[in-house]
Amino acid sequence: MAARDRIIFALDVGDLDSARKWVEKIGSHVGWFKVGLELFSAAGPAVVDLITSSGLKCFLDLKFHDIPNTVAGAVRSAVRLNAHMMTIHISGGPEMIRAALAAAREESESLKVPRPRIIGVSVLTSLGRDDLPGLGISRPLQEQVSGLVELACGEGIDGIVCSPADLPFVRPRVPEPAVIITPGIRPGWSEKGDQKRIATPESAIRDGADLMVIGRPISQAQDPVRAIEMIVREVEAAGR
Ligand code: C5P
């Protein structure tokens, strides 16, 4: 995989015009753009269209979590938008995961477009070990993450999102060709911001990440294109 195709730029902006500026500025330097709840709620399908019509790939991070029938419908709609990758909550259960995978397969076959990847989110990193008992989860955090990852991979999910700190125990549980995507990436030269459990691009890739979601180290750099070039060099140095 080319180094630039491992970089997903987090389009953490609140309107279509701002998104367009980023797509124009760095679209020829990164492989992917991530659209999350804030931007999608503001700009809707037009933002996915903006990305895909520029020949770029869209990671639609809306973290679907509902009854299987509803999630299947959401996935079908996202396939019609041409999203290349989208997220679901693994905690929606095996039937919901199967419904999402089947919807992606069936809708893409009927539209004759490439099948988008369905990516599973395990435990939100905003939750700590002290939060789990209140949610009725008695096993330790790491076991909960591992259990959800094993469940999702057993159902044939296409990939997992996890913190770079979790790679040592998540990577062995995710069989190829499923991919691992990590946020929380901070090159040595960038500000940490509010991210705590961070890794450099080089160490995340070396530890087994396939793709990285990167926002502020690029968006807040004085020269975003140069920041991407430096990240690309780090990825290449990881030698995977
Ligand atoms: O700006 P920064 O590189 O921290 O952006 C990271 C992106 O990844 C943001 O869109 C953020 O919502 C997302 N994310 C994260 N940590 C997680 C999960 C997602 O930073 N655990």
Side-chain angles (χ1 to χ4, degrees):
M1 199 190 295
R4 50 164 282 169
D5 289 324
R6 294 190 186 274
I7 302 174
I8 306 172
F9 177 65
L11 261 179
D12 289 327
V13 294
D15 61 84
L16 191 59
D17 277 346
S18 310
R20 183 175 295 111
K21 283 184 192 132
W22 278 112
V23 169
E24 286 168 1
K25 198 180 184 81
I26 63 168
S28 54
H29 299 274
V30 296
W32 296 83
F33 284 84
K34 184 190 86 145
V35 174
L37 286 168
E38 181 188 359
L39 181 56
F40 194 79
S41 298
V47 72
V48 182
D49 199 46
L50 164 75
I51 295 164
T52 58
S53 64
S54 309
L56 302 163
K57 291 191 287 264
C58 178
F59 176 32
L60 192 58
D61 185 21
L62 302 182
K63 299 187 180 66
F64 297 142
H65 188 178
D66 211 312
I67 59 171
N69 188 53
T70 301
V71 166
V75 168
R76 280 196 296 273
S77 295
V79 176
R80 290 197 286 272
L81 287 181
N82 274 324
H84 295 77
M85 201 153 67
M86 65 193 79
T87 44
I88 62 172
H89 271 287
I90 298 170
S91 54
E95 201 186 327
M96 192 202 83
I97 297 169
R98 285 195 293 275
L101 289 168
R105 189 176 57 245
E106 287 160 15
E107 193 67 12
S108 58
E109 276 170 11
S110 100
L111 296 174
K112 301 194 175 13
V113 296
R115 184 178 67 83
R117 289 179 188 153
I118 303 293
I119 306 296
V121 174
S122 59
V123 181
L124 292 173
T125 46
S126 50
L127 294 171
R129 63 183 67 245
D130 297 341
D131 297 311
L132 297 191
L135 296 171
I137 299 164
S138 52
R139 55 184 173 177
L141 186 58
Q142 182 169 330
E143 276 178 40
Q144 177 67 2
V145 172
S146 300
L148 289 172
V149 167
E150 281 171 8
L151 166 70
C153 290
E155 296 299 341
I157 201 144
D158 301 307
I160 296 289
V161 181
C162 76
S163 152
D166 295 346
L167 285 167
F169 63 90
V170 170
R171 181 73 265 180
R173 293 179 160 85
V174 180
E176 288 185 359
V179 294
I180 298 182
I181 303 173
T182 53
I185 299 297
R186 289 291 177 273
W189 42 265
S190 66
E191 296 285 326
K192 284 188 183 173
D194 55 6
Q195 293 281 16
K196 293 192 186 84
R197 300 200 301 156
I198 53 174
T200 64
E202 186 176 348
S203 66
I205 296 292
R206 211 182 316 108
D207 289 349
D210 297 296
L211 298 125
M212 300 172 292
V213 176
I214 308 180
R216 287 163 290 180
I218 295 172
S219 64
Q220 296 192 355
Q222 272 191 347
D223 182 345
V225 171
R226 192 171 127 70
I228 296 166
E229 284 167 358
M230 285 160 69
I231 293 168
V232 162
R233 276 202 290 279
E234 278 203 43
V235 170
E236 286 167 350
R240 256 185 81 229

